[in-house]
């Protein structure tokens, strides 16, 4: 899974959370330069997270349009990891054991994260 995070300067806590939940490759666009408005989403992207505090409206609209055209889930959040956790669980609900399915399996109890 590839996750694109748009905005934000320090996203280490976001990366740690997403990696723990989905073992994903994470790409980060800071959104500070003008050229980001014209960038196309990477073809392998399966989720886009937009940190609203750090990007302009034109970039947010561009990302939204591209994600909608491609059918990619989009999460808007602020700098709060707890807000990201709540919204992430809305997109990828957990099963009855509290696991999203990618962090463990019945045969591999050593990686169980719940």
């Amino acid at each position: 899974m590839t996750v694109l995070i748009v905005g934000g300067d320090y996203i280490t806590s976001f990366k740690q959370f997403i990696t723990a939940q989905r073992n994903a490759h994470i790409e980060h666009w800071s959104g500070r330069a003008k050229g980001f408005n014209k960038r196309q989403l990477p073809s392998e992207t399966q989720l886009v997270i937009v940190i609203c505090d750090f990007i302009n409206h034109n970039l947010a609209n561009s990302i939204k349009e591209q994600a909608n055209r491609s059918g990619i889930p989009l999460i808007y959040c602020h700098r709060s990891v707890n807000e990201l956790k709540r919204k992430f669980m809305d997109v990828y609900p957990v099963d009855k054991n509290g696991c999203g399915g990618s962090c463990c399996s019945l045969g591999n109890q050593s990686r169980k994260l719940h």
Side-chain angles (χ1 to χ4, degrees):
M1 174 179 202
T2 300
V3 176
L4 173 63
I5 299 176
V6 180
D9 293 327
Y10 304 102
I11 60 164
T12 304
S13 57
F14 283 37
K15 284 182 177 182
Q16 290 172 347
F17 169 73
I18 294 167
T19 302
Q21 292 297 313
R22 291 289 169 172
N23 195 18
H25 169 72
I26 299 171
E27 186 168 338
H28 177 232
W29 294 357
S30 68
R32 298 280 186 182
K34 289 181 182 179
F36 284 107
N37 289 346
K38 296 177 183 172
R39 274 195 184 179
Q40 296 297 313
L41 295 179
S43 60
E44 64 276 354
T45 302
Q46 296 173 337
L47 174 67
V48 178
I49 298 171
V50 177
I51 303 174
C52 301
D53 298 346
F54 289 94
I55 64 170
N56 63 43
H57 285 89
N58 290 335
L59 179 57
N61 288 334
S62 173
I63 296 296
K64 179 182 175 182
E65 289 174 10
Q66 291 181 55
N68 286 339
R69 273 196 307 259
S70 302
I72 299 171
L74 184 62
I75 296 175
Y76 292 96
C77 66
H78 298 281
R79 291 175 276 191
S80 169
V81 175
N82 290 326
E83 181 182 6
L84 175 64
K85 288 178 185 179
R86 185 173 36 85
K87 291 182 177 184
F88 190 86
M89 295 304 164
D90 289 342
V91 174
Y92 297 105
V94 295
D95 65 13
K96 63 182 178 183
N97 295 323
C99 179
S102 66
C103 61
C104 69
S105 65
L106 294 176
N108 184 8
Q109 296 296 321
S110 64
R111 293 197 62 207
K112 200 168 191 173
L113 299 175
H114 30 103

